[in-house]
């Protein structure tokens, strides 16, 4: 593994030399956003940049057209994966900052490539993970075994402020399609079976659930279809729901209960209900204390010490949770401006500003610092891994 001299060279020289081409590709992706699983140009350009630095890349990867895996120092016994995201949001582009977070992982890998002769028994890979927003690229990659042989995987996400402790809820998405019988609402309503009434009853029953589930659970939905005319008994109605809870084991029961409410609503209204998935289900992401402490030390080491009131980012969901059954995963946040809110046009517009460019470089430095600390301290690496998998079993 690289020594102290190389550690300083990576941060003080090599990363700075890479800034121009890395920032340029970030800005290009920000100007040309692509939706999840359709990041054809973004993934192609990233792969071209990586290959231009002499790194072998498998692309496509694991059957996903826009996924890839680049390998530095193949065959090392210790293995780390830097995860790169690059999908955008409908209408508002890179409002989640994936162009910047993805390029931070790429930048860290390009820097490591320049000292690959010093890696010894360490292999560093970059895995391009498409479609975080809806399709769950990491879920599909994990099911294909993409993360099975790593000691850890890591990425840095853009945010308003720097945060080490990031927690995501597990999430399930469902579509409930109720089928009834149409009839004239005035002339013969008794011949109809009202699918909209079933949908309304589903909302009423899930509202009643809320006082009997854990406080951190979220049940939310909307009516996507509710009829076409007021004088026709609606024979088709659709409601889309998501359920969230911190842990997958907590969420499974809540989701099952919501489905029971839909079946009961159909029974009560003498309609039929189809229950379909809506998107890909994500597991929770709950880092342990030793992982958080290590990230805090890494932030301080790169010159961005966290304030005592840095707090916890606790909310939303991400497919990073589905990586954790395979290996330790890190997902800190790098700040690009107090007051900015992700998933907004303002956040997307900030992707090409100077503070975001610096955040890309600092995120790459954070990944390198994290890797150096874990792979030069066997006891620390084993403790982190033990704490991680013990927590998953709890």
């Amino acid at each position: 593994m690289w020594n102290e001299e190389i550690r300083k060279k990576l941060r003080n020289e090599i990363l700075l030399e890479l800034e121009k081409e890395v920032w340029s590709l970030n800005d290009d992706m920000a100007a040309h956003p692509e939706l999840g699983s359709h990041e054809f140009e973004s993934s192609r350009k990233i792969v071209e940049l990586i290959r231009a630095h002499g790194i072998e890349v498998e692309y496509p990867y694991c059957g996903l057209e826009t996924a890839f895996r680049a390998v530095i120092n193949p065959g090392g016994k210790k293995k780390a994966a830097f995860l790169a995201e690059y999908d955008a949001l409908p209408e508002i582009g890179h409002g989640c900052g994936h162009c910047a977070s993805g390029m931070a992982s790429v930048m860290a890998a390009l820097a490591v490539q320049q000292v690959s002769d010093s890696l010894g028994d360490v292999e560093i890979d970059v895995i391009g993970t498409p479609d975080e927003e809806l399709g769950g690229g990491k879920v599909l990659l994990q099911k294909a075994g993409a993360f099975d042989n790593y000691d850890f995987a890591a990425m840095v996400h853009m945010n308003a402020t720097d945060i080490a402790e990031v927690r995501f809820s597990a999430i399930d998405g469902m579509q409930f399609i109720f089928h009834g019988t149409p009839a004239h609402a005035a002339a013969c309503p008794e011949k109809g079976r009202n699918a909209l009434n079933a949908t309304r009853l589903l909302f009423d029953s899930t509202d009643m659930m809320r006082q009997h589930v854990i406080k951190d659970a979220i049940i939310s939905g909307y009516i996507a279809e509710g009829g076409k005319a007021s004088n026709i008994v609606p024979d088709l109605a659709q409601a889309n729901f998501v359920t969230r809870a911190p842990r997958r084991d907590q969420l499974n029961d809540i989701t099952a209960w919501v489905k029971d409410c839909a079946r009961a609503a159909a029974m009560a209204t003498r309609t039929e209900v189809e229950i379909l998935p809506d998107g890909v289900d994500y597991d929770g992401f709950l880092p342990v204390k030793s992982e958080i402490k290590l990230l805090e030390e890494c932030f301080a080491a790169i010159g961005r010490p966290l304030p005592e009131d840095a707090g916890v980012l606790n909310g939303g969901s991400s497919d990073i949770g589905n990586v954790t059954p395979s290996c330790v995963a890190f997902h800190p946040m790098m700040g690009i401006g107090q007051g900015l809110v992700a998933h907004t046009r303002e956040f997307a517009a900030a992707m090409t500003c100077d503070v975001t460019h610096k955040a890309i470089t600092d995120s790459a430095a954070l990944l390198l610092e994290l890797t150096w600390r874990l792979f030069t301290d066997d006891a620390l690496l084993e403790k982190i891994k033990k704490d991680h998998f013990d927590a998953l079993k709890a």
Side-chain angles (χ1 to χ4, degrees), residues 167-174 209 212-220 242-258 281-286 314-318 321-322:
R167 297 176 177 271
F168 291 123
S169 295
I171 184 172
D172 291 336
M174 294 154 279
M209 276 181 61
H212 302 296
V213 296
I214 59 173
K215 292 180 179 180
D216 291 330
I218 296 174
I219 305 167
S220 54
V242 295
T243 53
R244 300 180 198 255
R247 297 174 59 107
R248 168 53 55 189
D249 57 347
Q250 297 167 330
L251 184 59
N252 286 341
D253 182 62
I254 294 167
T255 297
W257 194 350
V258 171
D281 299 339
Y282 293 173
D283 290 344
F285 181 72
L286 300 168
N314 193 359
S317 303
S318 173
N322 294 77

Side-chain angles (χ1 to χ4, degrees), residues 124-371:
I124 306 290
D125 295 355
V126 187
I127 300 180
T129 60
D131 202 358
E132 183 273 340
E133 294 294 347
L134 182 61
K138 297 183 193 66
V139 179
L140 302 177
L141 288 167
Q142 193 273 340
K143 289 180 178 178
F147 307 113
D148 287 352
N149 297 315
Y150 292 102
D151 293 292
F152 72 92
M155 60 171 288
V156 183
H157 202 284
M158 299 299 117
N159 186 55
T161 59
D162 297 353
I163 299 180
E165 186 171 355
V166 176
R167 297 176 177 271
F168 291 123
S169 295
I171 184 172
D172 291 336
M174 294 154 279
Q175 292 181 356
F176 299 103
I177 304 174
F178 291 93
H179 299 275
T181 304
H184 194 290
C188 52
E190 72 280 1
K191 294 183 179 180
R193 295 293 178 263
N194 196 312
L196 178 59
N197 282 351
T199 305
R200 291 175 55 204
L201 190 55
L202 169 61
F203 275 84
D204 287 344
S205 57
T206 53
D207 282 345
M208 294 174 188
M209 276 181 61
R210 288 189 171 90
Q211 65 178 306
H212 302 296
V213 296
I214 59 173
K215 292 180 179 180
D216 291 330
I218 296 174
I219 305 167
S220 54
Y222 69 96
I223 297 176
E225 173 66 55
K228 299 299 183 183
S230 59
N231 63 348
I232 303 173
V233 174
D235 66 322
L236 178 68
Q238 177 179 327
N240 292 6
F241 271 71
V242 295
T243 53
R244 300 180 198 255
R247 297 174 59 107
R248 168 53 55 189
D249 57 347
Q250 297 167 330
L251 184 59
N252 286 341
D253 182 62
I254 294 167
T255 297
W257 194 350
V258 171
K259 291 178 179 179
D260 284 344
C261 288
R263 296 184 187 100
M267 183 181 295
T269 55
R270 291 188 173 179
T271 59
E272 302 290 333
V273 63
E274 290 181 81
I275 302 176
L276 303 174
D278 189 16
V280 176
D281 299 339
Y282 293 173
D283 290 344
F285 181 72
L286 300 168
V288 297
K289 290 182 179 179
S290 55
E291 294 169 357
I292 297 162
K293 181 176 182 293
L294 175 58
L295 286 174
E296 290 172 344
E297 293 171 352
C298 291
F299 270 106
I302 67 167
R304 296 183 68 138
L306 298 177
E308 292 184 3
D309 61 350
V312 180
L313 192 153
N314 193 359
S317 303
S318 173
D319 58 2
I320 189 68
N322 294 77
V323 177
T324 59
S326 296
C327 66
V328 175
F330 296 91
H331 193 289
M333 297 285 182
M334 188 69 66
I336 62 168
Q338 188 80 33
L340 284 172
V341 178
H343 286 218
T344 63
R345 288 181 173 83
E346 292 76 16
F347 203 90
M351 286 303 100
T352 58
C353 67
D354 290 344
V355 67
T356 301
H357 287 161
K358 183 178 187 303
I360 293 172
T361 303
D362 287 349
S363 296
L366 188 72
L367 291 172
L368 295 176
E369 181 69 20
L370 177 68
T371 304

Side-chain angles (χ1 to χ4, degrees), residues 10-79:
L10 282 166
R11 186 184 307 160
N12 299 330
E13 296 180 30
I14 296 176
L15 286 181
L16 303 184
E17 293 168 357
L18 292 167
E19 285 181 339
K20 184 176 179 180
E21 58 185 331
V22 169
W23 292 354
S24 176
L25 182 49
N26 167 76
D27 293 358
D28 180 77
M29 287 193 292
H32 303 95
E34 295 178 298
L35 299 182
S37 297
H38 292 82
E39 316 97 325
F40 298 110
E41 285 300 300
S42 298
S43 59
R44 180 186 64 81
K45 291 175 181 178
I46 292 172
V47 168
E48 284 183 354
L49 175 61
I50 294 173
R51 284 175 172 163
H53 281 257
I55 304 171
E56 292 187 8
V57 185
E58 183 179 351
Y59 172 65
Y61 181 55
C62 283
L64 303 182
E65 283 188 89
T66 56
F68 64 84
R69 181 175 74 116
V71 182
I72 301 169
N73 197 39
K77 294 181 181 178
K78 297 179 179 179
K79 298 180 186 290

